Amino acid sequence: MERELLSGEKLCFSAALIASESGWQRAEAAMIHHHKPSCNLEYAVSFPYDQTTISTSGKNAKLDGKFTVYRTP
């Protein structure tokens, strides 16, 4: 992933406690589908889960604070 960075850019990670495996997979898919990072392609175009709302907090200037993602056909 570091090879994708432009000069002066930093690689940052976020973490969240999510109880179930299906829950974190759904949250990960929602984040990818909404933000469309260049290194994650699997859910960039389609979102296979029911309506999902994500709320973020803390030091996350590059993430939207709250958003909803809807199932795509």
Side-chain angles (χ1 to χ4, degrees):
M1 288 192 281
E2 290 182 47
R3 68 180 178 273
E4 302 292 327
L5 298 177
L6 299 176
S7 179
E9 290 183 327
K10 294 180 182 179
L11 182 61
C12 301
F13 292 89
S14 296
L17 296 175
I18 300 174
S20 68
E21 183 173 341
S22 63
W24 68 256
Q25 289 172 336
R26 183 175 177 166
E28 176 184 42
M31 294 292 284
I32 292 169
H33 187 73
H34 181 76
H35 289 99
K36 299 183 183 356
S38 61
C39 59
N40 296 101
L41 303 175
E42 184 176 2
Y43 298 105
V45 176
S46 64
F47 184 70
Y49 300 95
D50 291 333
Q51 177 180 324
T52 302
T53 298
I54 301 288
S55 296
T56 66
S57 62
K59 294 181 179 181
N60 59 358
K62 301 291 184 184
L63 302 176
D64 292 338
K66 185 173 183 179
F67 61 90
T68 300
V69 180
Y70 301 91
R71 180 188 294 268
T72 57

